[in-house]
Amino acid sequence: MSTSSPSIGSSSASTNIMLAIVEKKTSSIDLYRPLRNFISLTYSEREAINLEDDLLVLKQLRSDIERVPDPTPSTRRDLFINYFKALCLVETRFPISPDKDHINTLTFLWYDAFKTKQKASQQNIHLEKAAVLFNLGAVYSQIGLSFDRATVEGRRQASHAFISAAGAFAYLRDNASTKASMASSTTVDVGLECAGMLERLMLAQAQECVFENTIAKESTPGVCAKISRQVGLYYEEALAALNVAPLKDHLDKGWISHVQLKAALFYAEACYRYSLELHEKEEIAEEIARLKSGISALTEAKKSSKGAAAQLLDAMTKLDANLNRNLERAVKENDRVYLMRVPSPSSLPPLPAFSMVKPISMNEVLDASKEKMFSSLVPDSSAKALSRYTEMVDDVIRTQAERLQQGSELTRVRLKEMDLPDSVLALEGNMTVPTNLKEDVEAVQISGGPAGLEAELQQLRDLKRVNQELLVQTEELLQKEATEDAQFRSQFGTRWTRPQSSTLTKNLQDRLNRFAGNLKQAAESDTRIERSVRDNAALMSILDRRPIESALPTLAKPIMSLDATEDAIVGALKQSLRQLETLGAQRAGLEDMLKEMKRKDDILPKLMTITGSHEDLFRKEISKYDHICEDIAHNIEAQEQLLYQIQAQNEEFSTIFNLEDYKASREKCYKQIQAAIAKYREIKENLNEGLKFYVTLQDAITNVKQQCSDFVMTRNIQCREMMEDVQRNMAALSFQDRKTSSSYDGNYPHQSQRSSAPPQTEPSHGPPMPQPQSPYYRPPEQPTMPSYGHPPLPYGTPQQSYPYHPPPAQAAPYQPSHPQQPPPSHEYGQPAYPGWRGPYYNAHGQHPGPQPHPPYTIPRPYTYPNQGGYYKQ
């Protein structure tokens, strides 16, 4: 076990020396006059006048490049982008060459960026475009160097600028370097070798910024090692180009020294970081070897460090000290504890690397297809010829694309007929379920699956109990009031003139009876659901398998084998399938190559410069597609042969592994899953209907209970008032003295108490005092409900008179003494409202008695194409 930790001191992350590219210089040139003369002579003076603004814009762009009115890098970047787009438009419309029929008075001159005394001049636009692309990459590098790389955000912005520079140099290499180098006069800086080297250098600096941010974020040593190694690889690639012609003697020695030191520094940094990870894993032997390898790289690089920046040398010195310190510690631990044999650095595998950057594509940035400059200037002959050539190319592309699609479709159909590769995957334990069936199973599992049905059943039970308790409480309210009314009527006889309770509460009692009947029928439906869940638990249990593929039967080797050739047969079939997959990938690549070749196939400049027949040019250009057409033909032919081979191998495979029985058992399992899903959906739908029923019924009972409470409170007020009237009349007739009256009150203490203590909900201003001879309560017009003669409605029966949304408030059947009106009623056969907790749950203190723990969450209904269930029977 290690007794000490490796030293993690300052390393190359402390260095920040990077390079920027200087722009190429040019001489003045007048584009306006030659181009205007060409338009006037070739087209018309009117056309030249119409294009005057475009010519002046082009002239101003070229002038700004020559004179540098604004040296700001971002301004220069935009200038080069706009000028390059303009050059693309000029190239397709103006033939610039030494030819006497072309624009032969223009000569573009540019100086080399690294050896400023060297220059090149060409009478075509290719050198001009290459030079502008070079300067665009140079400006991006300058922008990258301008950011404050001491901060995380500054390093991120610098990295983005460097990968933009890499994209510009890559675009130069791929699109302009070859054309610019074909002339006798050219410069090295716009050649293929230099453009490629600068792309690698910019990527190295971008990856270096990422590495510095990785260190700042305190990432793991393993991650830091991979990113650092990629920095070193980019620098090594740039160094390889600098050490060979034509760049070996073209760039300043300081460049080569800088790149060489950076390559060694980040290789050593990767060794250092990787050794920290090895130390954590207690792989001391390889740790020692990596540390030695890093020290050796630094030692070798210092031999050629003449002219290098002091900050870079200081970083190397610090890193070397860390490497040696950790090496000394590791050697001591190995000698004392581990006693491992240290491998030689040369025998170690390459350090892992991971690139975090890539060149930004300049295709969209430099796309001139949307520019309007010179848009009206297209020669008729060139336009017609280009259209004809485009049709020829489209015909080739269409024919070959159809062949490729037919080949892919043939492969798909043949493999499906042979049940491949599913049968081979099943042998390896990688069974598959049809997509639509798998989606149905996932939907069931997301909704809770069979295991979640018990919780919903419990919700049904709780909601049923809540409704039953509400119903009992409501009936008790009416019964208590009726009992008190009967007592007073017996006491006072004919003097107690208000209507009997039974004549006033008939409608309320009818509704409560119907609610009770519905609850009884709902209980029977609940019982059927619970029985269905129990009876089908075994069937539905397959839906709880995760993943569902684990429920499928497996394909196994035969128990007995005569020649034990199963592995060889399976191996041969797998190899053939891999070859078939490779052919498919090749077809996709060939189709992409066709499309890419067509995208880059721009012959308009050639059409505008050619003086002879177009047919020869067409034959030459269309021949570019011949080799891809041949590759497609070979691919289709190879696929045919391979499919015949796979068919023979699959027949042998099917015979040995008895695939027919396996397919039969698999289909049986599919059907079992489908049956389980259907039964689950049926039960789930019934549960949802039941939950909706109970929630809506709870609202209806709560509404009736509120009406009953209002009725009882009104009757209590009337009772007090009638008691006062009777007492005043008895006093006036002198039937009893004050003592007798007190004795009367004492005989009915509960009535006296009720008269002296009005309910809390009585408002300060009650309704007018009714006359004794008038009825104190008039029966209300109740909403139409199912009558006794009809059976209780099932859960799902639609009630047109009670839609989902609350109906308009109706007039109160009688005037309660408190200002609050009862909530509008909803029939109990309707679906629940969103957020179904009604007044019962919102006023626990008003309804004593055992209650379930609210709220009951009603899950979202599980909808299916076929609706049905117990509650609809």
Side-chain angles (χ1 to χ4, degrees):
M1 191 69 181
S2 174
T3 58
S4 61
S5 299
S7 173
I8 308 179
S10 59
S11 62
S12 65
S14 62
T15 182
N16 216 10
I17 300 297
M18 293 184 182
L19 299 176
I21 316 300
V22 296
E23 294 181 26
K24 289 171 66 68
K25 303 299 181 183
T26 185
S27 62
S28 299
I29 189 172
D30 178 24
L31 294 177
Y32 174 84
R33 184 56 54 188
L35 297 186
R36 193 187 189 287
N37 290 341
F38 176 81
I39 297 172
S40 179
L41 294 174
T42 306
Y43 297 94
S44 66
E45 179 62 24
R46 175 182 294 275
E47 191 70 32
I49 294 173
N50 292 338
L51 295 173
E52 185 74 19
D53 291 342
D54 290 346
L55 291 170
L56 290 177
V57 169
L58 181 64
K59 177 181 179 181
Q60 186 61 46
L61 289 173
R62 188 56 163 81
S63 177
D64 290 345
I65 286 178
E66 298 165 5
R67 295 177 175 81
V68 193
D70 186 352
T72 307
S74 59
T75 303
R76 299 289 289 172
R77 173 199 61 200
D78 297 339
L79 172 63
F80 287 127
I81 291 175
N82 292 332
Y83 184 56
F84 183 83
K85 291 179 180 179
L87 289 177
C88 292
L89 301 174
V90 168
E91 182 181 16
T92 59
R93 291 163 175 82
F94 299 94
I96 302 174
S97 75
D99 195 314
K100 63 179 182 177
D101 296 328
H102 294 173
I103 303 175
N104 53 21
T105 59
L106 284 176
T107 301
F108 298 97
L109 186 146
W110 286 89
Y111 294 91
D112 193 289
F114 304 104
K115 290 190 178 296
T116 55
K117 293 182 179 181
Q118 295 183 9
K119 61 183 178 180
S121 60
Q122 294 183 13
Q123 282 184 290
N124 60 58
I125 206 168
H126 302 314
L127 177 62
E128 184 84 347
K129 291 177 67 178
V132 171
L133 287 173
F134 181 93
N135 282 356
L136 178 61
V139 167
Y140 271 123
S141 72
Q142 295 167 20
I143 292 175
L145 222 60
S146 68
F147 290 110
D148 180 14
R149 298 191 306 282
T151 65
V152 171
E153 181 61 20
R155 289 189 291 266
R156 188 190 65 79
Q157 293 174 332
S159 178
H160 187 271
F162 286 135
I163 60 177
S164 298
F169 288 123
Y171 194 90
L172 166 65
R173 178 196 62 207
D174 297 337
N175 298 278
S177 290
T178 301
K179 296 178 181 179
S181 301
M182 291 176 65
S184 58
S185 177
T186 186
T187 54
V188 174
D189 54 356
V190 296
L192 289 170
E193 297 83 1
C194 188
M197 181 276 294
L198 292 175
E199 178 204 15
R200 297 289 100 181
L201 178 61
M202 293 299 106
L203 288 177
Q205 297 189 156
Q207 181 87 358
E208 185 175 347
C209 292
V210 174
F211 171 74
E212 292 172 354
N213 273 345
T214 305
I215 296 298
K217 294 176 183 177
E218 298 182 354
S219 298
T220 62
V223 172
C224 296
K226 292 178 181 180
I227 296 177
S228 174
R229 182 63 190 119
Q230 186 60 52
V231 178
L233 289 176
Y234 283 138
Y235 275 118
E236 289 172 11
E237 292 171 359
L239 180 63
L242 287 170
N243 283 329
V244 296
L247 301 179
K248 183 177 182 180
D249 299 321
H250 191 75
L251 274 73
D252 186 80
K253 297 297 182 182
W255 273 66
I256 299 177
S257 177
H258 174 87
V259 174
Q260 184 176 3
L261 290 181
K262 283 272 189 171
L265 177 66
F266 280 96
Y267 172 77
E269 181 72 36
C271 291
Y272 172 70
R273 299 288 170 179
Y274 194 65
S275 70
L276 297 178
E277 185 179 51
L278 292 173
H279 187 84
E280 293 177 359
K281 298 178 180 178
E282 298 188 7
E283 298 179 8
I284 303 300
E286 185 178 353
E287 177 190 0
I288 295 173
R290 294 293 183 186
L291 291 171
K292 289 182 178 180
S293 180
I295 294 171
S296 176
L298 290 179
T299 303
E300 187 66 25
K302 289 179 181 179
K303 297 178 182 179
S304 56
S305 61
K306 184 177 181 181
Q311 190 173 354
L312 182 57
L313 294 175
D314 182 60
M316 295 181 67
T317 301
K318 291 181 179 179
L319 179 58
D320 185 67
N322 286 337
L323 288 166
N324 279 288
R325 183 165 51 253
N326 285 1
L327 175 62
E328 181 180 356
R329 173 200 47 74
V331 169
K332 289 181 179 178
E333 290 183 2
N334 191 42
D335 292 343
R336 296 174 181 176
V337 180
Y338 299 100
L339 303 176
M340 295 182 181
R341 186 180 66 85
V342 178
S344 64
S346 59
S347 65
L348 297 175
L351 285 170
F354 185 76
S355 177
M356 299 290 290
V357 298
K358 65 178 181 179
I360 288 183
S361 174
M362 290 286 117
N363 291 327
E364 293 186 7
V365 177
L366 301 176
D367 181 18
S369 61
K370 297 181 181 179
E371 300 296 321
K372 302 301 182 182
M373 182 180 286
F374 304 123
S375 59
S376 63
L377 200 63
V378 178
D380 290 340
S381 59
S382 298
K384 292 178 181 179
L386 180 62
S387 177
R388 183 182 173 191
Y389 175 76
T390 301
E391 291 178 358
M392 296 171 62
V393 173
D394 288 343
D395 184 63
V396 172
I397 299 295
R398 183 170 53 254
T399 302
Q400 299 303 318
E402 289 176 355
R403 293 192 65 187
L404 291 171
Q405 291 173 2
Q406 291 173 359
S408 298
E409 182 64 16
L410 176 64
T411 299
R412 187 187 67 80
V413 172
R414 296 280 293 276
L415 289 179
K416 186 175 182 180
E417 291 174 351
M418 294 183 284
D419 198 25
L420 291 174
D422 290 349
S423 56
V424 176
L425 293 175
L427 185 61
E428 298 173 346
N430 299 323
M431 288 77 71
T432 58
V433 175
T435 303
N436 57 344
L437 188 60
K438 184 176 179 66
E439 291 175 353
D440 288 345
V441 173
E442 290 176 349
V444 168
Q445 292 176 345
I446 290 173
S447 67
L453 294 178
E454 181 57 35
E456 297 189 34
L457 286 173
Q458 185 60 42
Q459 286 185 359
L460 277 183
R461 300 185 192 105
D462 292 341
L463 286 172
K464 179 177 68 175
R465 178 173 54 80
V466 168
N467 280 277
Q468 290 172 340
E469 292 174 356
L470 279 174
L471 196 60
V472 170
Q473 293 170 7
T474 306
E475 292 174 343
E476 290 175 350
L477 281 174
L478 297 180
Q479 183 63 37
K480 181 179 179 182
E481 192 279 330
T483 301
E484 293 179 351
D485 180 69
Q487 290 176 355
F488 285 114
R489 191 173 304 280
S490 174
Q491 176 71 30
F492 295 106
T494 58
R495 290 190 297 274
W496 196 257
T497 60
R498 72 171 182 174
Q500 292 185 7
S501 297
S502 59
T503 63
L504 302 178
T505 59
K506 183 178 184 304
N507 286 336
L508 294 174
Q509 289 288 357
D510 288 347
R511 294 182 68 186
L512 293 177
N513 290 335
R514 284 194 290 272
F515 290 157
N518 276 266
L519 276 174
K520 181 179 179 182
Q521 185 182 16
E524 296 173 357
S525 297
D526 295 347
T527 302
R528 288 196 296 270
I529 293 178
E530 292 184 9
R531 183 167 58 250
S532 180
V533 171
R534 290 194 303 270
D535 294 345
N536 295 282
L539 172 65
M540 295 188 296
S541 63
I542 193 172
L543 300 179
D544 285 325
R545 301 284 291 271
R546 296 175 186 266
I548 190 61
E549 287 82 1
S550 63
L552 297 179
T554 58
L555 180 63
K557 295 181 180 180
I559 300 176
M560 298 184 63
S561 176
L562 298 178
D563 49 7
T565 58
E566 297 87 355
D567 293 339
I569 293 173
V570 173
L573 182 57
K574 288 182 180 179
Q575 179 64 26
S576 298
L577 290 173
R578 283 193 291 269
Q579 293 176 3
L580 189 65
E581 185 178 358
T582 301
L583 289 176
Q586 290 176 359
R587 283 197 302 277
L590 290 171
E591 187 172 2
D592 291 340
M593 287 175 61
L594 279 172
K595 294 177 181 179
E596 182 67 14
M597 182 174 289
K598 178 188 175 183
R599 188 184 67 81
K600 293 183 177 180
D601 193 7
D602 182 13
I603 67 168
L604 183 59
K606 296 179 181 179
L607 287 173
M608 297 176 66
T609 57
I610 193 171
T611 56
S613 172
H614 292 154
E615 296 300 325
D616 294 338
L617 177 63
F618 289 166
R619 282 194 295 270
K620 178 181 179 182
E621 293 297 321
I622 206 72
S623 64
K624 299 193 298 275
Y625 297 90
D626 290 346
H627 71 280
I628 296 183
C629 296
E630 293 175 0
D631 291 343
I632 292 174
H634 293 156
N635 183 281
I636 298 298
E637 182 180 356
Q639 176 183 273
E640 282 291 334
Q641 297 176 358
L642 189 57
L643 283 174
Y644 284 121
Q645 177 180 323
I646 290 175
Q647 184 175 0
Q649 293 172 339
N650 186 63
E651 290 174 355
E652 190 175 6
F653 172 76
S654 177
T655 302
I656 293 179
F657 287 89
N658 199 8
L659 283 187
E660 293 303 321
D661 290 348
Y662 167 73
K663 292 178 183 178
S665 60
R666 184 182 61 186
E667 288 301 321
K668 181 180 179 181
C669 186
Y670 289 163
K671 292 180 180 179
Q672 180 183 354
I673 295 174
Q674 292 170 349
I677 292 174
K679 180 55 67 176
Y680 176 84
R681 288 173 172 174
E682 176 187 336
I683 294 174
K684 186 76 173 180
E685 181 182 0
N686 293 333
L687 282 169
N688 288 337
E689 291 173 5
L691 292 172
K692 290 178 185 177
F693 167 79
Y694 281 124
V695 169
T696 309
L697 182 61
Q698 179 184 339
D699 290 340
I701 297 177
T702 302
N703 181 32
V704 173
K705 182 181 179 183
Q706 182 63 49
Q707 293 180 22
C708 293
S709 298
D710 294 342
F711 167 74
V712 170
M713 184 176 63
T714 303
R715 295 278 286 181
N716 288 339
I717 294 173
Q718 293 171 353
C719 177
R720 291 197 304 272
E721 293 171 350
M722 182 167 286
M723 288 277 293
E724 294 173 358
D725 288 343
V726 170
Q727 290 173 357
R728 282 195 298 269
N729 291 335
M730 293 173 68
L733 296 175
S734 302
F735 286 138
Q736 261 183 340
D737 56 9
R738 184 178 185 86
K739 181 176 182 180
T740 306
S741 177
S742 300
S743 173
Y744 174 81
D745 292 342
N747 291 333
Y748 298 92
H750 59 285
Q751 297 296 336
S752 176
Q753 181 180 0
R754 180 172 299 179
S755 299
S756 62
Q760 295 179 358
T761 57
E762 181 178 351
S764 59
H765 301 283
M769 181 71 68
Q771 297 299 321
Q773 65 273 18
S774 301
Y776 285 89
Y777 178 84
R778 187 174 301 276
E781 291 295 327
Q782 296 294 340
T784 304
M785 297 292 290
S787 62
Y788 280 118
H790 292 81
L793 295 177
Y795 289 166
T797 303
Q799 301 278 340
Q800 295 183 357
S801 61
Y802 293 90
Y804 284 111
H805 299 286
Q810 301 177 358
Y814 51 85
Q815 297 296 330
S817 60
H818 58 82
Q820 292 186 349
Q821 296 293 330
S825 172
H826 296 275
E827 200 57 54
Y828 50 84
Q830 295 300 315
Y833 312 127
W836 56 269
R837 285 174 290 168
Y840 179 79
Y841 290 106
N842 295 333
H844 297 288
Q846 299 177 11
H847 307 286
Q851 301 173 6
H853 297 289
Y856 294 105
T857 302
I858 302 302
R860 182 172 299 175
Y862 196 89
T863 58
Y864 302 97
N866 299 321
Q867 297 293 333
Y870 290 101
Y871 291 92
K872 291 188 176 180
Q873 295 175 356

